[in-house]
């Protein structure tokens, strides 16, 4: 039951009562619907209130008897709020007027006017309170979803608070599918949970949702059980829905979905309610977008963590130190451009003082290249028992790669075996750029014919051998060195590699010094330009 003192405070009611009393010249009192007084007695107040609309309620008179004598009659007029009784205005008697009307017609009209004004003030107070509650609900929405990263938690909070704020029967949120062709139900409030199992709504089959998503304002539906734009009318009828308001959830011109509120009666939403729903929808869209970004960032972080772990595993596949061989000084460097690389080098201990030396460059970079690298390395180690038959070793590695990959997955490799006692170096090449032999200040390339690994399973890899002597330097590298660019987009190139190598050998650097000088010269050439490929090299010096 409505009550004027629920929406107007005592001070305001007292002020209104004083103004009415001053105008009528009689004591006026304001009462609750049950007749109890809500204001105290008036003593000659100043009139200071503006009057409003006229009410048309008939005046009621009350009379009584004291000691067998008639007492003056009391007049009262009802106060209504939206056609509901909310209180009474009563006028106290003045003298003995048993034979005459209590008030003239003008005073009757004035009293009705007072009742209308008081009803209007109370209704405005009720409306103001409702608006404040709705604004607090908006604040509540923002507070609930701010800092929340779980998408479902956001959706549940928005539907619940929106229904409460608009005094609706129920609410629901549908989000657009990844392809943007369907609306998928994701959250409901005060609806049968089975509603969550309803099929996605194709946008092409829902004129209502097309209208909602096409604009930036809520779309009103007077009766969802009769409007031809509405899908699932039977469900709406079963749930007792009548009127509905649907708002698009938009964040930075990106449409996330639709939020709906349903009434259990025919209801006209006013401008404030429409604006409130759209504001909630926009805030929800921002929170949804942030939640998705957070989820993507979290997934990205997890992927990066896994890649970092994989990178650590891959680095453990690369020998930390070169093998110790009498009269032979070996140094190797491996510099990946990313956490996972496609380059690798390896030293394989073999019987009879032999060591296998391999350098490989897998096409591409990243995860795919690293998996191929691990596969090729495992295959090479498995088949390297046939020491001098380089053709057979690389042929088996090639067939393994052809069997397990597609033609776009290939690699180049140089593989040789060095005998520590005889200093005989036997080698074969699978499409890799020829290593450089520096002897007596001159350059020689260790070239053999053989195609890349992973293209043709019947590829043949001819081998060659030569006798190393003291002072010889063998330098193998991947194209990360020769194709490195500076800020002028000039490639470092084989010529610069050879010049740096000749200078380092002329300075009588050991294997580590040769490797360090060649990398330093490359950095001097490229400057601070970002590495775009892995860089791997091996330097072997005969003492």
């Amino acid at each position: 039951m409505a009550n004027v003192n629920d929406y107007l405070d005592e001070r305001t009611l007292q002020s209104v009562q004083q103004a009415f009393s001053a105008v009528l010249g009689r004591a006026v009192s304001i009462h609750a619907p049950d007749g109890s007084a809500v204001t105290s007695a008036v003593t000659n107040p100043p009139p200071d209130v503006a009057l409003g609309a006229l009410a048309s309620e008939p005046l009621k008179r009350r009379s009584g008897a004291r000691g067998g004598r008639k007492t003056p009659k009391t007049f009262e007029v009802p106060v209504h709020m939206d056609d509901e009784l909310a209180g009474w205005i009563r006028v106290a008697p003045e003298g003995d007027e048993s034979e005459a009307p209590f008030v003239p017609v003008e005073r009757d009209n004035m009293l009705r006017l007072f009742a209308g004004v008081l009803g209007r003030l109370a209704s405005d107070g009720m409306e103001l309170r409702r608006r404040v509650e709705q604004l607090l609900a908006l604040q509540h929405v923002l507070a609930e979803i701010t800092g929340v990263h779980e998408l479902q938690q956001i959706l549940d909070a928005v539907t619940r608070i929106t229904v409460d704020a608009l005094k609706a029967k129920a609410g629901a949120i549908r989000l657009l599918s990844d392809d943007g062709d369907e609306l998928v139900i994701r959250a409901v409030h005060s609806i049968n949970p089975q509603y969550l199992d309803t099929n996605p709504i194709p946008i092409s089959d829902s004129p209502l949702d097309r209208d909602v998503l096409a604009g930036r304002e809520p779309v009103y539906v007077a009766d969802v059980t009769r409007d031809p734009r509405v899908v699932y009318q039977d469900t709406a009828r079963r749930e007792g829905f009548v009127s509905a308001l649907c708002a698009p959830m938009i964040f930075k011109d990106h449409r996330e979905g639709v939020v709906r509120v349903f009434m259990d009666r025919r209801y006209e939403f006013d401008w404030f309610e429409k604006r409130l729903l759209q504001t909630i929808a926009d805030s929800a869209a921002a929170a949804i977008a942030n939640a998705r970004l957070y989820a993507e960032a979290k997934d990205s972080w997890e992927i990066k963590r896994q890649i970092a772990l994989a990178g650590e595993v891959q680095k453990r596949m690369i020998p930390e130190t070169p093998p110790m061989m009498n009269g032979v000084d070996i140094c190797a460097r491996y510099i990946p451009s990313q956490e996972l690389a496609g380059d690798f080098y390896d030293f394989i201990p073999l019987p009879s003082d032999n060591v296998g030396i391999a350098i490989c460059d897998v096409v591409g970079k990243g995860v795919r290249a690293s998996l191929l690298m691990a596969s090729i390395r495992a295959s090479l180690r498995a088949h390297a028992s046939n020491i001098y038959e380089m053709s057979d070793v690389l042929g088996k590695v090639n067939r393994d790669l052809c069997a397990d990959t597609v033609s776009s997955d290939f690699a180049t490799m140089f593989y040789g075996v060095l005998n520590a006692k005889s200093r005989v170096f036997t080698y074969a090449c699978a499409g890799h750029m020829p290593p450089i032999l520096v002897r007596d200040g001159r350059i020689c390339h260790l070239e053999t014919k053989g195609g890349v690994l992973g293209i043709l399973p019947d590829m043949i890899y001819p081998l060659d051998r030569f006798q190393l002597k003291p002072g010889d330097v063998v330098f193998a590298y991947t194209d990360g060195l020769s194709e490195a660019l500076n800020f002028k987009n000039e490639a470092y190139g084989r010529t610069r590699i050879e010049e740096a190598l000749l200078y380092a050998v002329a300075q009588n650097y050991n294997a580590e010094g040769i490797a360090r000088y060649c990398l330093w010269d490359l950095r001097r050439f490229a400057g601070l330009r970002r590495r775009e490929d892995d860089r791997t090299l091996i330097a072997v010096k005969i003492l």
Side-chain angles (χ1 to χ4, degrees), residues 169-445:
K169 176 179 175 59
I173 288 179
R174 283 184 179 268
L175 298 184
L176 284 167
S177 58
D178 292 338
D179 58 13
D181 293 336
E182 296 179 325
L183 280 170
V184 182
I185 187 70
R186 290 297 306 271
V188 297
H189 184 68
S190 297
I191 301 179
N192 192 317
Q194 293 179 350
Y195 190 73
L196 288 169
D197 298 329
T198 55
N199 294 327
I201 298 177
I203 302 299
S204 58
D205 296 342
S206 178
L208 174 61
D209 292 311
R210 287 202 302 272
D211 292 345
V212 174
L213 293 171
R216 287 183 170 271
E217 298 293 333
V219 174
Y220 170 68
V221 182
D223 191 341
V224 293
T225 64
R226 298 178 181 275
D227 195 308
R229 299 174 299 170
V230 177
V231 182
Y232 297 129
Q233 290 186 2
D234 292 340
T235 301
R237 190 175 295 108
R238 184 172 60 252
E239 294 289 339
F241 301 154
V242 182
S243 294
L245 194 62
C246 310
M249 293 189 292
I250 303 173
F251 178 67
K252 293 185 177 179
D253 295 327
H254 179 75
R255 282 152 175 77
E256 298 286 351
V258 176
V259 58
R260 316 176 195 271
V261 289
F262 302 98
M263 294 294 188
D264 58 2
R265 64 194 184 282
R266 201 174 188 89
Y267 181 82
E268 283 280 353
F269 294 90
D270 62 26
W271 69 270
F272 186 86
E273 291 168 325
K274 292 178 181 178
R275 178 45 45 198
L276 176 65
L277 180 61
Q278 189 57 60
T279 302
I280 292 175
D282 291 342
S283 300
I288 291 169
N290 288 334
R292 285 177 169 165
L293 288 174
Y294 176 81
E296 291 175 3
K298 186 177 179 181
D299 292 343
S300 176
W301 179 86
E302 180 60 24
I303 291 172
K304 288 181 179 179
R305 190 179 75 87
Q306 295 295 335
I307 289 176
L309 292 175
E312 292 298 320
V313 172
Q314 186 183 45
K315 287 178 182 178
R316 288 197 291 271
M317 295 182 184
I318 307 298
E320 291 186 7
T321 58
M324 301 297 295
M325 302 177 67
N326 290 330
V328 180
D329 185 20
I330 302 176
C331 179
R333 288 290 184 269
Y334 163 74
I335 307 172
S337 61
Q338 300 178 7
E339 289 183 286
L340 294 177
D343 283 9
F344 77 90
Y345 69 83
D346 202 3
F347 302 115
I348 305 173
L350 297 171
S352 305
D353 293 325
N354 289 291
V355 173
I357 300 174
I359 187 168
C360 179
D361 186 358
V362 177
V363 63
K365 295 181 285 293
V367 176
R368 185 174 183 175
S370 69
L371 293 175
L372 285 174
M373 167 264 185
S375 176
I376 293 171
R377 176 181 176 275
S379 178
L380 174 65
R381 283 187 163 247
H383 298 305
S385 58
N386 195 347
I387 300 173
Y388 283 105
E389 291 300 326
M390 300 292 110
S391 299
D392 192 25
V393 172
L394 291 184
K396 289 180 179 180
V397 173
N398 177 56
R399 285 190 289 274
D400 289 347
L401 189 59
C402 288
D404 296 336
T405 62
V406 295
S407 60
S408 59
D409 296 331
F410 59 88
T412 67
M413 179 185 287
F414 176 85
Y415 177 60
V417 174
L418 175 62
N419 185 277
K421 292 182 178 179
S422 66
R423 310 287 176 85
V424 173
F425 190 52
T426 306
Y427 64 92
C429 189
H432 199 84
M433 57 190 63
I436 301 171
L437 171 64
V438 179
R439 173 174 287 177
D440 299 330
R442 291 181 297 177
I443 292 292
C444 177
H445 298 114

Side-chain angles (χ1 to χ4, degrees), residues 131-141:
R131 299 301 192 215
V132 170
E133 290 174 351
Q134 291 172 336
L135 290 174
L136 290 175
L138 175 59
Q139 182 185 22
H140 191 191
V141 168

Side-chain angles (χ1 to χ4, degrees), residues 343 359-365 410 412 431-433 476-485 491-494 497 522 532-537:
D343 283 9
I359 187 168
C360 179
D361 186 358
V362 177
V363 63
K365 295 181 285 293
F410 59 88
T412 67
H432 199 84
M433 57 190 63
Y477 59 95
T478 61
D479 60 9
L481 272 73
S482 58
E483 296 178 2
L485 300 176
Y492 187 59
R494 179 180 292 187
I497 293 176
L522 172 61
E532 297 180 0
D533 199 359
D534 308 325
R535 297 172 183 173
T536 305
L537 62 86

